[in-house]
Amino acid sequence: MTVIQWTEAMSVGNPALDKDHQKLIQMINDLDQAAPDFLELFNAVLDYTTGHFEREETHLEVIGFPGLDAHRVQHDSFADEVAAMVKEYRGHAFQAGDTRLKDFLWSWLKGHILIEDQRYAAWTRARGG
Ligand SMILES: [Fe+2]
């Protein structure tokens, strides 16, 4: 099982949003596809992610980040893909060795925090924020 840890390289320079990212990483680390309450845990990750996206988008609105619309599209497409996976899982639970879900969550989250979120972090830094 891949375990990812939050590192300074993931910092977006905003303590509240960094905390959100740390919590999210922890929640995904704790996701166990074989656990009887997996769907509950998975839904909790989804809920937390939705709340986090809202907090992040509000922050980007407040600071006037010019890439907000594109960033919002990324968040929305993630929500769509995960919703599709939940639907699939409800239809027939994933096999024990099927790691698609976690792989997807990790690769998306890592790419998003390390690349996409760093765009607004760099933009904020460039403005002296
Ligand atoms: Fe984001």
Side-chain angles (χ1 to χ4, degrees):
M1 179 188 303
T2 323
V3 172
I4 291 186
Q5 281 192 330
W6 187 88
T7 66
E8 273 303 319
M10 293 179 179
S11 176
V12 293
N14 177 291
L17 293 175
D18 279 347
K19 255 202 165 139
D20 270 11
H21 287 152
Q22 287 162 4
K23 164 101 176 153
L24 207 50
I25 287 169
Q26 188 57 53
M27 287 177 95
I28 299 178
N29 272 325
D30 290 344
L31 254 190
D32 177 3
Q33 216 163 275
D37 59 346
F38 169 74
L39 205 51
E40 231 168 273
L41 295 172
F42 191 22
N43 275 318
V45 171
L46 281 190
D47 284 351
Y48 193 82
T49 307
T50 306
H52 164 62
F53 285 168
E54 278 173 19
R55 288 189 285 279
E56 198 173 70
E57 287 170 14
T58 300
H59 171 71
L60 298 184
E61 226 172 284
V62 169
I63 64 172
F65 178 58
L68 173 59
D69 285 348
H71 202 95
R72 215 189 286 271
V73 168
Q74 298 243 350
H75 286 170
D76 291 347
S77 75
F78 173 80
D80 288 349
E81 281 200 56
V82 174
M85 279 197 176
V86 174
K87 207 173 155 195
E88 190 189 334
Y89 183 86
R90 279 187 202 281
H92 51 92
F94 300 139
Q95 298 297 309
D98 186 345
T99 59
R100 280 178 305 151
L101 177 69
K102 250 187 163 172
D103 290 349
F104 168 76
L105 290 173
W106 280 136
S107 63
W108 193 89
L109 199 73
K110 240 175 114 177
H112 189 76
I113 297 177
L114 283 170
I115 299 165
E116 298 304 326
D117 288 347
Q118 286 306 316
R119 292 188 207 279
Y120 73 74
W123 183 84
T124 307
R125 273 196 306 273
R127 288 166 52 99

